[in-house]
Amino acid sequence: MSEPSKEVNRHTIAVLVDNEPGVLARVIGLFSGRGYNIESLTVAETDHAKSLSRITVVTSGTPMIIEQIKAQLGRLVPVHKVADLTQDGPHVERELALVKVVGKGEKRVESLRIADIFRARAVDSSNNSFVFEIVGAASKIDAFIELMQPLGLSEVSRTGAAAISRGNKPI
Amino acid sequence: MARKKMQGAEIVIEALKEQGVTEIFGYPGGAVLPLYDAIFKQNQIRHILVRQEGGAVHAAEGYARSTGKVGVVLVTSGPGATNAVTGLTDALMDSIPVVCLTGQVPTHLIGNDAFQECDTTGITRPCTKLNYLVKDVSDLANVVHEAFHVARSGRPGPVVIDLPKDVIMAMGTYQEAGTAPAEKYSPRVKGDQSAIAEAVRLLGQAKKPIIYAGGGVINSGPKASKLLQDLVKLSGAPCTLTLMGLGAYPASDKQFVGMLGMHGTYEANLAMHDCDVMICVGARFDDRITGRLDAFSPESKKVHIDIDPSSINKNVPVDVPIVGDVASVLADMIKKWKALKPKQDQAALKKWWGQIDQWRAKKCLAFQQKGDTIKPQHAIRRLFELTQGRETFVTTEVGQHQMWAAQYYNFDKPNHWMTSGGLGTMGYGLPAAMGVQVAHPDALVVDIAGEASTLMNIQEMSTIVQYRLPVKIFILNNEYMGMVRQWQELLHGGRYSESYMESLPDFVKLAESFHAVGLRATKASQLDDVIKEMIEIDRPVIADIAIDKLENCFPMIPSGAAHNEMLLGPNDKAEKQISEQGMVLV
Ligand SMILES: Cc1ncc(C[n+]2csc(CCOP(=O)(O)OP(=O)(O)O)c2C)c(N)n1
Ligand SMILES: [Mg+2]
């Protein structure tokens, strides 16, 4: 067998699990117990009738580690399906962030202007603050937050990634 | 028909009965009293009262491994559950099917730091295949049925069911197995046919093949061992086994080249290193097996058969992965082999066996028994020879004696050798032997032990005596934590820090204090008589065998070394220095 690649890549993995207590702990425990990375993790019930939750986990590792992560996830009893969205083809990935910016005068106006360019919405405002809601890829949100920094950035709340494959097929 | 209501505790016992349980190993306490009451009111299931919960889990492991059935444990909440953790981890590492019922405080007290409360599902999550906290009596029966299914299916493992006291006291209706919606857990059994064909093609063309099999063959059942033999015979390849796999292929057969790995034979390890095709069957390329990874069998094409996809490509990348049950895949391989009738390169195979015979000629397991001092190798060899022709089961503790047992006691059948391989738990062998004896009352069951390990679960002697289990504890007494001392000698300049066993008990008197029989051999001339007497006595025996205190376990591949950098004996160590990198490893 040829030398396996040592290149570290970022993968977005979707995991369908039983919506039962302890399942999320088992998944997280697997990552911490085996020393895998978690860059972000998002979880919510997605099928109420079948009581299924979808966990989206963004992780990174060499091809061998990524394969291990998927195999380890796959063998957990409450896990129904594991899909590597990064590997399986094009997919859409979105995060949501709520960004509080505090300021007056020109800075306040500038923050609104940038929000407009980024298609962020002001979902709350007071006479010296805004809360912007922004949805997009992680890199877009990173860029937005960076631009808000000098304009009075005060607080950020961010979800992890939610992701789904493109096209007509489910995972 | 209106179904009869019963108490939760009775539902649990009913479900156990339906799962075919006839023995439970347990220890009572406040949270499980209703279950003990339900046990009292029936006589189908026998409860074996251990002396510490850790003993219960190892006993269940011994029971499971020697029968192929699921071992069952019952312990109370809090300390009962935490005492079970080592055994659960042991069962997880060695893939042993165990169902462990733990008591829990009533649901309304959970999270209150109530008396004898602990977060059992939290604590046992990383050391179980699956665990449950049952909050509703109507789920009880199905959870028990599902737990057995999960414990025994796919790669087996331990399952915990945490039972709050109010749930087992509530009234509910019993549900038979199979009435719940279709079982959601169904691991793949049948291997991919094209991969199987490729594996057969590789094996058929091999000039230097080897078949490397492990505990997965035993777990797959006796049929898998039979099929393994068939494939080895068909292909003419040498076969080596891991510590967990011993017995899966008959040690007495000439195609068997011995155990491989850290204390494996010279011929097995070199054949692994030099082979051109390796068929790994139900083993997992563990670090005790591979030695230094980048030097592991560098030239071979590797086929890996395992029921657990996560075992494949974990440590060693393989060319042909086959996910499936060992018995099913081997049967398909044999069918394919017979259909394809591969033209083997007989000249190459002959050369390969010639090479193997040269390695064998090193006689890496040779030892000399001279004078009065009993050599441990000799003690095991005699035990093996004197127990021939009997149905004998062997368990071990952990240490040098364990490796000598693996090297010098030969197993021809599966399920007769029980040892803690993955976790390496001292204190495993004595309770495991107890569990084996419960399952096989008429067999000879011997725990090959070290004096230090024996003391880790010695309290179970009391259980052994209570249930008239004629278990034999065969102690190779070197008055050292021998394996620790050996590493200190090889790696730490002979500074024997805390590895000498001070103030050991008199094991003969210790046996007698438990109302068992104590025997002792201090000279080689006494050994046979002690072994014979031990076998003949139909009662529990501790045989204290005083062995050469400073004997080391060879051959040895030091941590961080490659297979072909093996130490064959004490004189080798001067030349082959153990690397700094190797020292970091365990
Ligand atoms: C519970 C536990 N603690 C510590 C160890 C580390 N350890 C491995 S072998 C060993 C010494 C065993 O001594 P003994 O039972 O006398 O066996 P010997 O090596 O002398 O044959 C120790 C301490 C272990 N394996 N298990
Ligand atoms: Mg010892």
Side-chain angles (χ1 to χ4, degrees), chain B residues 496-551:
Chain B
Y496 296 152
S497 179
E498 306 293 323
S499 54
Y500 181 63
M501 292 301 289
E502 284 277 346
S503 309
L504 282 169
D506 176 331
F507 282 102
V508 172
K509 287 193 183 142
L510 185 62
E512 286 163 359
S513 77
F514 281 110
H515 317 290
V517 177
L519 302 173
R520 175 172 290 133
T522 52
K523 292 201 197 93
S525 55
Q526 301 163 338
L527 181 68
D528 277 19
D529 286 344
V530 165
I531 294 175
K532 283 182 200 152
E533 197 179 345
M534 174 184 92
I535 297 170
E536 287 314 318
I537 296 172
D538 189 24
R539 288 173 57 195
V541 178
I542 295 182
D544 184 18
I545 313 295
I547 57 157
D548 190 342
K549 295 190 201 328
L550 298 180
E551 186 70 22

Side-chain angles (χ1 to χ4, degrees), chain A:
Chain A
M1 187 87 198
S2 58
E3 194 46 22
S5 161
K6 291 269 181 295
E7 197 185 327
V8 173
N9 281 313
R10 184 174 174 279
H11 283 245
T12 302
I13 297 172
V15 193
L16 278 188
V17 303
D18 287 326
N19 183 19
E20 278 168 10
V23 176
L24 183 61
R26 225 172 233 285
V27 169
I28 291 173
L30 190 152
F31 276 80
S32 63
R34 294 184 182 267
Y36 307 140
N37 273 324
I38 298 185
E39 284 177 18
S40 90
L41 183 127
T42 309
V43 54
E45 189 179 62
T46 51
D47 186 337
H48 186 68
K50 290 190 192 145
S51 190
L52 290 180
S53 291
R54 181 167 172 135
I55 299 176
T56 308
V57 53
V58 180
T59 183
S60 58
T62 61
M64 226 166 135
I65 297 278
I66 297 291
E67 195 193 333
Q68 257 301 296
I69 291 174
K70 291 186 277 182
Q72 292 289 351
L73 285 168
R75 79 181 181 130
L76 298 182
V77 177
V79 167
H80 291 257
K81 191 170 243 171
V82 178
D84 184 341
L85 296 172
T86 305
Q87 184 179 294
D88 294 350
H91 70 283
V92 191
E93 201 169 311
R94 291 289 179 269
E95 286 183 25
L96 181 146
L98 297 169
V99 181
K100 185 174 285 185
V101 180
V102 179
K104 284 194 157 159
E106 186 47 36
K107 284 189 175 173
R108 184 171 159 82
V109 178
E110 178 66 5
S111 71
L112 258 187
R113 220 174 287 146
I114 292 173
D116 194 42
I117 295 167
F118 277 78
R119 303 219 177 106
R121 292 197 301 142
V123 290
D124 178 72
S125 70
S126 72
N127 55 14
N128 68 343
S129 71
F130 288 119
V131 173
F132 293 113
E133 175 200 272
I134 175 166
V135 174
S139 55
K140 172 177 162 182
I141 296 177
D142 289 345
F144 181 72
I145 290 170
E146 201 176 309
L147 288 172
M148 288 296 138
Q149 198 80 45
L151 305 178
L153 179 77
S154 127
E155 195 179 342
V156 179
S157 172
R158 251 174 115 151
T159 66
I164 204 159
S165 62
R166 289 185 188 274
N168 60 6
K169 288 212 181 65
I171 59 167

Side-chain angles (χ1 to χ4, degrees), chain B residues 400-401 449-453 475-483 499 501 504 547:
Chain B
Q400 290 179 317
H401 63 275
E451 77 298 332
S453 298
I475 302 179
L476 297 185
N477 190 341
N478 51 11
E479 297 178 22
Y480 274 108
M481 297 175 195
M483 195 53 101
S499 54
M501 292 301 289
L504 282 169
I547 57 157

